[in-house]
Amino acid sequence: ADMEEAFAGIDLSRISVSLTINGSAVAIMAMFFAMAKKRGFPLAELRGTAQNDILKEFVGRGTWIFPVEPSVRLVGDTIEFCAREVPHYSPVSVCGYHIRESGATPAQEMAYGLAIASAYVDHVRARGLDVDDFAGGLSFNFDIHGNLWEEVAKFRAGRRLWAKIMKERHGATDPRSMQLRMIAGGGGGGLTVQQPENNIVRGAYYGLASALSGTQTMALCSYDEAYTIPSEHAARLSLCTMQILMEEVGVCDTVDPLAGSYFVETTTNEMERLIVADLRRIEEEGGIVAAIADGRVQAAVNRQAYEREKRLANGELRKVGVNCYA
C-alpha cells in the first residue's frame, strides 16, 4: 500500500526508479515489482536501480539482517531474478562510497568496491548464469572528496581494472559487461561544520572531479550536510551547481578532457598500482567475503579513519577553516 501511494499517478514506463536500500532490499524490491504488476506495467519494461550492496553494509554502515554468506545469497537471488524477469533493472549498485566515508583511502575504496562486485559475479556465475546475461546490470556508487587529481585518477584506474577483471577473470565478451557504470559525487566526509559556506565551494570542485572522471550520474552533497539533514535551500544550491557545470562551464563537452596529460596519466598509473596491491592482498587472504566475515576489512578501514583524524588534529592534513586559515 505504501508503494501504491508513493507512485500514484506516476507513469513507471517513463521514469527510472532508484531504491537506496540494502539490508531489506529484497523485500522493498518485491513490493515495488508487485505494485508495478498490479498497475499493469510489465516487469520486463521497468527501469531502475536498487543499491542492495550488503557487503559494504558490514564495512561501512552496519544495517544488515543476516550473516555474511546468507546475505550474499540473497543478493544473488535478486541478480538472478532481475536477469531473468526485469532485464532493464540494475539489481545492485556496489557502494565504495560508504566504505570511503567510513575512513578508507581512495585506493581502498576502489579496491574493496571492485572486489565486492567481483564476489557477487563469482556467486551468480556459480549458479550457472552466463556472465554476459547479468553483468551489464551491475552498477557502482563512489565517493569524491579531497585531492581532485587523486579522485580523477581513482576512477580512471578503476575503469581500466574493472574491464580487465571482467574480461580476464570472468570471461565477459559483451562490452557492456566490462563497463564501470557509476554514480559519483561529493561525499559528506569532505565537508566541515566550521565555516559551512566553504562547503558550497568544495561541492563545486567535487562535481568537477566527478565530471572529469567520466561518471554516468552525479550527485552532490549539500553544504549543511555536515551538521543537519540538508535543507531545501542547500539541496537546490547543489542542483544548481551541477547545472552550472553542465550548461555554463562545459565539463560535459568531451568524454575524457584530461586524457594524454602526463601528470594525470602518471597519477592514474600510480593509483592503479595501489588498487592492484590491495586487490592482491584481499585474494591472498582468502577473498573479500571471508575478509569481511572475520572483520579484517572493517579493521583496515577503522585504522585509516583513525589515521586521518590524527592527521587533521596535527595539521598534516590541511582543512580550510579547521586547522588552517581558520
Side-chain angles (χ1 to χ4, degrees):
D2 287 336
M3 283 288 177
E4 291 174 2
E5 182 177 347
F7 289 97
I10 295 175
D11 185 351
L12 298 180
S13 68
R14 298 182 61 190
I15 64 167
S16 174
V17 177
S18 294
L19 303 171
T20 306
I21 193 71
N22 295 278
S24 56
V26 66
I28 302 299
M29 291 169 70
M31 293 177 190
F32 176 72
F33 295 151
M35 176 273 299
K37 285 180 68 175
K38 184 176 180 180
R39 292 185 54 199
F41 294 99
L43 294 187
E45 297 178 8
L46 295 179
R47 292 175 296 115
T49 302
Q51 199 165 92
N52 194 28
D53 178 7
I54 199 61
L55 287 178
K56 66 89 179 171
E57 288 295 311
F58 287 91
V59 181
R61 288 185 73 243
T63 58
W64 67 86
I65 301 171
F66 307 111
V68 171
E69 292 188 1
S71 296
V72 172
R73 289 202 302 272
L74 264 180
V75 172
D77 290 341
T78 60
I79 294 173
E80 182 174 357
F81 178 82
C82 287
R84 299 187 190 282
E85 305 290 340
V86 203
H88 300 299
Y89 194 88
S90 295
V92 177
S93 178
V94 176
C95 295
Y97 184 103
H98 301 86
I99 296 174
R100 176 84 190 282
E101 289 285 290
S102 297
T105 67
Q108 285 176 324
E109 174 195 7
M110 185 59 67
Y112 293 147
L114 297 183
I116 287 170
S118 189
Y120 294 146
V121 173
D122 278 333
H123 177 80
V124 178
R125 288 183 65 207
R127 295 178 176 217
L129 272 71
D130 183 272
V131 64
D132 287 324
D133 288 340
F134 68 88
L138 303 180
S139 62
F140 293 82
N141 181 358
F142 289 115
D143 198 19
I144 294 176
H145 63 80
N147 186 280
L148 183 146
W149 311 114
E150 188 175 52
E151 293 300 301
V152 170
K154 174 183 73 179
F155 294 119
R156 297 176 89 250
R159 188 176 292 111
R160 282 198 315 218
L161 285 169
W162 182 240
K164 186 175 182 180
I165 289 168
M166 292 306 294
K167 183 176 182 178
E168 297 181 2
R169 173 171 173 167
H170 298 296
T173 57
D174 186 342
R176 181 175 170 83
S177 300
M178 306 176 208
Q179 291 177 357
L180 188 105
R181 296 187 304 116
M182 64 179 181
I183 177 172
L191 306 183
T192 64
V193 175
Q194 301 91 333
Q195 301 180 13
E197 292 89 349
N198 290 341
N199 295 332
I200 300 173
V201 181
R202 291 186 178 102
Y205 285 122
Y206 298 163
L208 178 63
S210 181
L212 294 177
S213 301
T215 186
Q216 282 70 46
T217 308
M218 187 188 300
L220 281 186
C221 47
S222 298
Y223 76 89
D224 54 1
E225 202 166 310
Y227 56 86
T228 188
I229 296 173
S231 63
E232 181 177 349
H233 173 70
R236 189 168 295 278
L237 273 175
S238 294
L239 174 61
C240 290
T241 298
M242 292 187 284
Q243 291 168 333
I244 289 168
L245 285 171
M246 180 173 65
E247 303 291 351
E248 299 181 24
V249 179
V251 294
C252 299
D253 291 353
T254 185
V255 173
D256 191 1
L258 299 180
S261 160
Y262 174 80
F263 175 70
V264 172
E265 298 293 350
T266 302
T267 307
T268 298
N269 292 337
E270 175 61 15
M271 181 61 72
E272 182 173 347
R273 185 189 68 79
L274 294 172
I275 296 168
V276 168
D278 278 322
L279 286 169
R280 284 177 179 161
R281 190 176 305 113
I282 292 165
E283 285 298 310
E284 290 168 358
E285 294 177 353
I288 191 70
V289 176
I292 290 174
D294 66 19
R296 275 172 289 150
V297 173
Q298 295 89 315
V301 172
N302 289 340
R303 280 197 301 273
Q304 288 299 329
Y306 173 68
E307 290 300 324
R308 184 178 187 277
E309 291 302 316
K310 281 205 308 183
R311 292 174 63 212
L312 272 171
N314 64 25
E316 182 183 350
L317 178 63
R318 296 172 67 80
K319 202 76 173 175
V320 174
V322 178
N323 58 17
C324 68
Y325 311 114

